[in-house]
Amino acid sequence: MKIKTKLRLGLGVLFLMILALSLIAARCIYVLKEDTENILLDNYKTLDYTRSMFLAIDQIQINPEAWTKFEQNLKNQMANVTEPGEGEITEKIRAHYASLKTDPNSKHLAVLIRNDLAELTRINMEAIRAKSDKALATVQSAFIWIALTGTVCFLIAFTLLINMPGNIGNPIRELTESIRAIAAKKYAERLHFSGKDEFGELANSFNTMAEKLEEYDNSNLSQILVEKKRIEALINNMHEPVIGLDENQRILFANEEAVKITGIAGSDLLGKSAIELAEHNDLIRALIQNKTGMNGDIGYKTTPSLKIYADDKESYFEKEVVDITIIPTGERQKKFIGQVILLKNITPFKELDFAKTNFIATVSHELKTPISSIKMSLQLLESQQTGMLNEEQKQLMESIKEDSNRLLKITGELLNMSQVETGNIQLSIQPSSPASIMQYALDAVKLSMEQKGIELVVQTDENLPDVKADMEKTAWVLINFLTNAIRYSQQEGRLLLEIRDGQNGVRFSVRDEGKGIDSRYRNKIFDRYFQVPGSSKTGTGLGLAISKEFIEAQGGAIGVNSEIGMGSTFYFQLAKA
Ligand code: ADP
């Protein structure tokens, strides 16, 4: 039965019972009222007339008015005959009274009338008793009826009170629990309401929904598994090593190439903590550590290539670490969920690079001897041992001298660079005085500074501590800074050379008032062979790159602050000895 019908039925029966109770009570009260009214109307009046007639008959001989009074009451009584036998006795009274009228002194007739009146009183008294008994019976039956209907009402109300809340509340509670289970992805949850009411229909719909969700979930799972397999196959077939880590650096996947180069079996890699593995495996350690060289203020990043020996050969790899972030459903904040480490095989490029470096080194080395002999020949010509030179020849000789100096500088830089690239920088780091480094550099650039009429301001802290440095290489860097500053300064410009004792070491800086460097190129000027577009093409674009290598090899930091049109400040910092 439907809940709606059940509710209607229950409440309807209750309503009917209350109605019946009210009707029964009203009827009983009405019957009681009728009974009392009858007594008053029928019997009380008769008794009243009878009493008046008694009084009149007693006075009939002495008071003539008693006749009228008697007749009046008799007339009233004749009109109020209500009880069985009352009619006959009234008739008798009337007959005896008529006889008395003809014989007013008859004592016998007066006695007869009195007897009749007594009989009339008795009949009415009995009728009153009978009516009183009837009223009592009515009260009793009313009591029984009201009690009976009241009890039935109570029983129905009590049953409804006990059953109704449970009937409605229990299925709702079960439904709530099942919905919670579904929300927690327990799709096997079902409702078992047996009835054919609304809850039964609800259970059917709910179970269908849960079944479909279960089916959908299962089909999704198998689809996800297929996709997972596809992605795994894809990663495995990649020719470059790939390793996936979760947010706690646990290895999620590693393709065959990755397994090959790490030398650890796949089963020993998957699910293991990379941090723990790194304790015994150098390669894993190199892969998970974020080793990027920070270069002073300019944030220049270098990712050193990894040299890995696998498959009986040496290979070079470039590491790329990709952070994986997602925005979880319903959230706004990005969440870090792991990293993918990609290794790019750069061996062929490295081999070409080595070949190029070796070629440059050989060529620059081979060029050094003829350039030196050109310079020697120039010196001979200059000393005029081979004869006098005219003005024109002198000018030609000056330009040959300039060009050969440039050639020597270029070959020197190329040699330095090939040293850097092959990792052959020979450093002799020892406590060196900043003042002597400065002096060495100033001596080297003195002439070109004078030629351009540059004013040099030197500011140094007092009692500068020694620095841990290779004197020659550091002076080379300072010379490079000064040469650049002179080259990019105006004629008769101003240079500021500062050496300051700082918290993190001693800082050397060269400031010029030249054209400055555009912010677009500031990060690139330390790259090999880079020259700011539009600047003088006489250089090689190697000076700052070599400077950076020299300073970083000594554990220092290098950088530049510059604004276009505001001059530039190049600086490097070295640790105190
Ligand atoms: P180069 O031999 O070309 O001078 P560097 O490595 O020394 O090579 O410098 C790279 C580039 O940086 C230069 O081409 C130049 O454009 C820019 N540069 C270096 N120093 C300065 C400076 N003091 N003022 C403006 N630009 C500079």
Side-chain angles (χ1 to χ4, degrees):
M1 201 193 287
K2 302 244 172 194
I3 301 175
K4 217 156 109 186
T5 326
K6 265 190 207 167
L7 275 171
R8 267 193 196 141
L9 214 70
L11 292 174
V13 168
L14 207 61
F15 173 75
L16 285 178
M17 293 309 292
I18 291 167
L19 198 70
L21 195 67
S22 317
L23 286 176
I24 289 168
R27 196 187 155 272
C28 292
I29 291 165
Y30 180 74
V31 170
L32 267 173
K33 184 197 144 233
E34 284 279 282
D35 287 353
T36 358
E37 229 169 43
N38 281 349
I39 293 172
L40 271 178
L41 272 178
D42 305 346
N43 308 107
Y44 175 77
K45 280 181 184 168
T46 305
L47 286 176
D48 193 34
Y49 302 148
T50 317
R51 189 184 59 84
S52 300
M53 282 190 279
F54 258 121
L55 286 174
I57 206 84
D58 283 347
Q59 293 173 3
I60 215 148
Q61 259 87 30
I62 48 168
N63 187 1
E65 274 180 28
W67 291 99
T68 346
K69 201 177 168 192
F70 191 92
E71 270 170 43
Q72 185 61 47
N73 280 298
L74 181 61
K75 206 174 146 197
N76 285 346
Q77 168 56 28
M78 280 163 74
N80 190 36
V81 174
T82 51
E83 306 302 326
E86 199 180 327
E88 290 91 64
I89 200 78
T90 310
E91 186 52 39
K92 263 187 177 177
I93 294 170
R94 196 197 56 78
H96 287 145
Y97 177 70
S99 307
L100 189 68
K101 252 191 156 176
T102 51
D103 183 10
N105 293 321
S106 169
K107 294 239 191 256
H108 174 67
L109 279 173
V111 170
L112 278 178
I113 290 172
R114 272 201 199 89
N115 285 347
D116 292 340
L117 286 173
E119 180 59 16
L120 189 62
T121 309
R122 189 195 57 79
I123 289 173
N124 274 285
M125 294 280 271
E126 263 176 22
I128 286 175
R129 196 183 309 122
K131 280 181 187 170
S132 163
D133 287 348
K134 197 179 157 209
L136 215 65
T138 311
V139 169
Q140 266 173 3
S141 84
F143 177 76
I144 289 168
W145 274 108
I146 291 171
L148 217 67
T149 329
T151 313
V152 174
C153 275
F154 170 79
L155 284 176
I156 292 174
F158 190 73
T159 321
L160 285 177
L161 186 78
I162 298 293
N163 291 330
M164 198 66 93
N167 264 351
I168 297 171
N170 290 349
I172 290 178
R173 186 172 37 77
E174 269 182 58
L175 178 69
T176 316
E177 276 165 16
S178 299
I179 289 173
R180 277 205 197 112
I182 293 281
K185 293 195 171 174
K186 291 177 189 157
Y187 299 125
E189 181 74 20
R190 294 287 181 277
L191 277 178
H192 304 284
F193 299 155
S194 50
K196 287 211 174 298
D197 55 8
E198 286 91 336
F199 285 122
E201 285 170 18
L202 188 76
N204 277 344
S205 311
F206 178 89
N207 291 345
T208 316
M209 179 196 78
E211 216 167 288
K212 291 212 163 140
L213 277 176
E214 196 174 13
E215 196 182 285
Y216 176 74
D217 192 47
N218 286 342
S219 71
N220 251 8
L221 201 70
S222 60
Q223 210 172 326
I224 289 168
L225 282 174
V226 171
E227 289 302 322
K228 187 175 171 263
K229 286 236 156 63
R230 202 200 305 270
I231 291 170
E232 273 172 3
L234 207 95
I235 294 172
N236 265 337
N237 282 309
M238 279 172 79
H239 291 300
E240 318 231 286
V242 183
I243 296 176
L245 304 172
D246 71 4
E247 68 274 30
N248 302 317
Q249 299 224 308
R250 208 161 277 280
I251 296 177
L252 292 176
F253 59 82
N255 68 356
E256 279 163 22
E257 288 296 320
V259 170
K260 213 186 283 174
I261 61 159
T262 50
I264 305 176
S267 53
D268 293 336
L269 269 179
L270 297 185
K272 299 282 155 55
S273 159
I275 299 167
E276 280 169 25
L277 288 173
E279 283 171 20
H280 311 288
N281 189 296
D282 293 345
L283 181 62
I284 303 264
R285 195 178 318 133
L287 289 182
I288 61 168
Q289 67 188 190
N290 259 352
K291 199 175 167 192
T292 45
M294 296 300 289
N295 184 12
D297 299 345
I298 57 167
Y300 185 85
K301 267 186 173 183
T302 46
T303 316
S305 55
L306 297 165
K307 190 165 152 189
I308 297 167
Y309 188 81
D311 264 359
D312 297 331
K313 63 175 191 297
E314 263 182 3
S315 304
Y316 289 88
F317 289 92
E318 209 172 71
K319 180 178 82 169
E320 196 182 334
V321 182
V322 184
D323 285 347
I324 311 292
T325 52
I326 55 158
I327 302 176
T329 324
E331 287 181 27
R332 278 159 186 270
Q333 290 283 320
K334 273 189 184 173
K335 195 179 162 203
F336 173 76
I337 57 157
Q339 288 178 319
V340 173
I341 301 173
L342 301 161
L343 290 176
K344 229 180 280 170
N345 193 340
I346 51 161
T347 318
F349 302 106
K350 269 280 174 195
E351 281 165 0
L352 280 176
D353 199 38
F354 280 143
K356 176 215 75 183
T357 309
N358 285 338
F359 175 74
I360 290 176
T362 319
V363 170
S364 30
H365 185 77
E366 291 302 319
L367 280 178
K368 258 189 151 181
T369 328
I371 296 169
S372 302
S373 67
I374 291 174
K375 280 192 87 177
M376 261 172 59
S377 308
L378 280 172
Q379 264 172 0
L380 279 174
L381 282 173
E382 214 174 10
S383 65
Q384 309 216 345
Q385 284 174 5
T386 51
M388 293 291 281
L389 297 173
N390 61 29
E391 269 317 298
E392 217 172 326
Q393 286 167 330
K394 271 186 187 164
Q395 269 179 11
L396 281 171
M397 199 191 68
E398 272 310 311
S399 91
I400 295 170
K401 201 171 154 191
E402 245 175 58
D403 285 344
S404 54
N405 276 340
R406 261 185 60 206
L407 267 175
L408 205 64
K409 184 175 173 270
I410 291 168
T411 44
E413 281 183 0
L414 285 173
L415 257 179
N416 273 335
M417 200 64 231
S418 47
Q419 254 186 25
V420 164
E421 283 183 355
T422 47
N424 289 338
I425 317 176
Q426 304 287 333
L427 290 172
S428 86
I429 295 180
Q430 51 201 8
S432 320
S433 127
S436 54
I437 295 174
M438 178 183 78
Q439 203 47 57
Y440 188 101
L442 285 182
D443 287 346
V445 296
K446 200 169 159 217
L447 201 68
S448 46
M449 217 155 36
E450 277 169 6
Q451 276 173 356
K452 217 170 170 181
I454 303 273
E455 181 197 343
L456 176 75
V457 181
V458 178
Q459 289 182 352
T460 58
D461 280 347
E462 274 174 30
N463 302 328
L464 280 170
D466 281 357
V467 287
K468 278 191 222 162
D470 177 311
M471 168 92 179
E472 205 185 310
K473 301 265 188 303
T474 312
W476 192 97
V477 175
L478 197 56
I479 292 169
N480 190 52
F481 279 5
L482 287 166
T483 331
N484 278 345
I486 294 164
R487 195 190 305 166
Y488 297 106
S489 283
Q490 312 285 351
Q491 202 73 24
E492 291 169 3
R494 230 165 67 107
L495 288 189
L496 174 66
L497 171 60
E498 266 185 302
I499 308 177
R500 299 281 179 211
D501 182 7
Q503 243 186 1
N504 302 321
V506 177
R507 184 176 152 120
F508 295 71
S509 67
V510 176
R511 189 198 154 115
D512 63 60
E513 292 170 348
K515 59 179 178 169
I517 302 162
D518 195 325
S519 58
R520 280 179 294 168
Y521 307 118
R522 230 174 289 146
N523 284 351
K524 289 192 174 155
I525 54 169
F526 290 91
D527 286 354
R528 286 166 204 175
Y529 308 106
F530 180 82
Q531 289 182 303
V532 174
S535 61
S536 105
K537 293 278 174 230
T538 47
T540 53
L542 280 174
L544 288 177
I546 295 169
S547 303
K548 182 174 174 309
E549 296 286 348
F550 280 176
I551 294 299
E552 284 183 357
Q554 296 176 68
I558 191 166
V560 61
N561 295 323
S562 178
E563 285 302 328
I564 195 96
M566 305 285 288
S568 319
T569 307
F570 282 86
Y571 62 83
F572 64 83
Q573 188 163 293
L574 290 171
K576 293 178 206 173

